[in-house]
Amino acid sequence: MSSSASRSPANGSVTLQEWQAWGTNSPLPTMVTDIVDQMKALEIDIDAHMTFGGSGGKLQGDFKVQEDKKHRATYQALGDSEKKLQFFSARQIACRLLGSRGYLCQKCWLPFEDCMCSRVMPCSLWRGMRFWLYMHPKDFLRQNNTGKLLWQVFGVEAATLCLFGITEQEEIMWNTFKHAGKNNVWCLYPNKNATSKSVQEAFGQESSADQKCTQLMTNGDKTLNFILIDGTWSNSNAMFSRLKEHAKSIWGAEDLPCISLATGASAMHKLRPQPSWDRTCTAAAAIGLLSELQLLPEFTSYGLDKRAEAVEDALVALLEALTTRRLRMGRSITRKVRHSRDIC
């Protein structure tokens, strides 16, 4: 099915099984189900069917016009900024869930004719670390999203999805962080306004890495938690600010421990350019972290280089699947490079 063709979602509400099949083990968000039910009711009220199509699978037709008026009125009536964020995120996710039914593979988020699942080789992640994909709702079910590759390779327990503004998932993530303690939570965020350490500075011999590794071998709850902000760079500031606010409410400190990587541009720059060459896609950031940790004596025995290779292979498979699709549809396989003062 062409991405430009209109399609109607299957009838019925979103079930827990359907929700978790998209790459999560969290409960089904209440607000998402409420919005889906409201959209289904609106279909009956105005006697117009939901249709999706075009780039990103957006709502189309008469239903879009009426639903747009309704959701804007609801949003404006919410006086609290937190409630507005929760509503915005839930609606984005509800629309993407409905628009992707019967069109995208639930594992790789590609159209069925371009499914790359058979090319992904799952493997276990070292039990002493865990990835958290803190994803913007506009990146949820996005075909060229690379964060999804981490749970395809490592599983949803080792690489856990947390959607920005979705209360149920954010509570799960922060409850885990509170139990782990601030010293075991790190955010990969190459922002000049954020105080960050290199992998060597954070986990090298002169750091407390030796103590951390000893703890990891004796206490399974002292897992190193790494947050990967998974969204466009224009959205990442708001996401990072929200993380800092939560961190302050728990630990009373403004700063959230951050790591900067020596990673260069990834292959995905060909299809999804970043604002500057020191910024890279989510999967490449994970590859960089695993590779840099592997170089440290404290981590050499955990086989992190093999895990990095598994993610890199999945990233190559995704790039090839997206390239093949673009060629088939007669679209360019290169994107304009965005100019930035950060580019030499």
Side-chain angles (χ1 to χ4, degrees):
M1 181 187 293
S2 169
S3 63
S4 60
S6 296
R7 54 188 180 274
S8 298
N11 293 328
S13 299
V14 177
T15 65
L16 177 63
Q17 182 180 10
E18 178 185 357
W19 167 248
Q20 293 186 340
W22 290 109
T24 181
N25 57 359
S26 77
L28 178 58
T30 301
M31 192 172 290
V32 171
T33 58
D34 289 345
I35 291 174
V36 169
D37 291 343
Q38 291 167 17
M39 293 173 73
K40 293 288 186 181
L42 184 61
E43 276 190 308
I44 297 172
D45 291 343
I46 66 174
D47 193 25
H49 291 293
M50 271 186 273
T51 56
F52 296 83
S55 178
K58 298 177 182 178
L59 278 170
Q60 294 183 331
D62 293 338
F63 182 88
K64 177 188 182 303
V65 175
Q66 297 302 318
E67 195 278 335
D68 193 59
K69 291 179 181 178
K70 187 174 184 295
H71 96 256
R72 287 179 184 275
T74 301
Y75 181 85
Q76 292 300 327
L78 298 171
D80 182 83
S81 60
E82 177 65 21
K83 291 181 179 178
K84 283 187 173 182
L85 171 61
Q86 292 174 6
F87 176 79
F88 164 81
S89 297
R91 182 186 170 275
Q92 285 285 332
I93 292 164
C95 288
R96 288 162 190 268
L97 287 171
L98 292 174
S100 301
R101 277 180 172 173
Y103 173 56
L104 297 185
C105 169
Q106 289 186 285
K107 292 184 178 179
C108 68
W109 298 2
L110 295 181
F112 286 115
E113 63 266 33
D114 302 297
C115 177
M116 54 166 277
C117 291
S118 63
R119 297 189 57 190
V120 176
M121 300 301 293
C123 70
S124 60
L125 184 63
W126 170 51
R127 67 179 181 86
M129 68 186 298
R130 183 178 185 179
F131 287 115
W132 292 86
L133 284 300
Y134 193 45
M135 186 179 292
H136 195 275
K138 286 191 173 182
D139 267 74
F140 181 60
L141 304 189
R142 186 172 177 172
Q143 293 177 33
N144 63 358
N145 175 276
T146 66
K148 63 190 176 187
L149 298 176
L150 295 184
W151 65 74
Q152 277 193 277
V153 173
F154 300 129
V156 296
E157 294 289 346
T160 305
L161 173 65
C162 178
L163 287 157
F164 176 64
I166 297 300
T167 303
E168 291 88 345
Q169 292 190 335
E170 289 185 326
E171 286 182 352
I172 290 171
M173 182 173 75
W174 283 104
N175 285 337
T176 302
F177 293 169
K178 280 189 283 187
H179 187 67
K182 184 181 177 182
N183 290 336
N184 293 304
V185 178
W186 296 86
C187 182
L188 275 70
Y189 190 59
N191 185 293
K192 294 178 180 178
N193 297 322
T195 303
S196 61
K197 294 182 178 182
S198 67
V199 170
Q200 171 66 41
E201 291 170 334
F203 302 105
Q205 290 180 347
E206 295 180 1
S207 74
S208 58
D210 285 328
Q211 181 182 355
K212 288 179 184 291
C213 290
T214 300
Q215 290 175 335
L216 291 170
M217 300 310 292
T218 58
N219 187 341
D221 293 334
K222 294 300 181 181
T223 301
L224 296 176
N225 294 275
F226 295 98
I227 307 168
L228 296 167
I229 295 181
D230 196 355
T232 63
W233 287 98
S234 60
N235 290 326
S236 67
N237 282 333
M239 298 172 73
F240 185 61
S241 294
R242 186 169 176 83
L243 288 171
K244 288 197 299 181
E245 289 172 4
H246 276 281
K248 184 178 181 180
S249 69
I250 295 172
W251 296 308
E254 282 283 350
D255 65 312
L256 179 67
C258 290
I259 291 178
S260 59
L261 300 173
T263 308
S266 78
M268 283 297 290
H269 271 274
K270 298 175 184 178
L271 291 179
R272 189 179 179 183
Q274 308 297 333
S276 66
W277 291 99
D278 65 337
R279 298 175 178 178
T280 190
C281 70
T282 305
I287 294 168
L289 175 64
L290 291 167
S291 299
E292 290 187 38
L293 285 173
Q294 176 66 27
L295 297 176
L296 301 180
E298 299 86 349
F299 294 87
T300 53
S301 63
Y302 301 133
L304 301 183
D305 54 337
K306 300 299 182 184
R307 276 67 180 176
E309 288 175 10
V311 179
E312 191 164 10
D313 289 345
L315 185 59
V316 170
L318 175 60
L319 175 62
E320 291 178 354
L322 292 171
T323 300
T324 300
R325 178 173 178 78
R326 287 195 177 201
L327 289 172
R328 189 177 69 247
M329 298 176 68
R331 296 167 60 189
S332 172
I333 59 172
T334 58
R335 300 286 292 274
K336 293 180 180 179
V337 176
R338 300 174 185 174
H339 297 289
S340 170
R341 288 175 293 180
D342 294 327
I343 300 177
C344 298

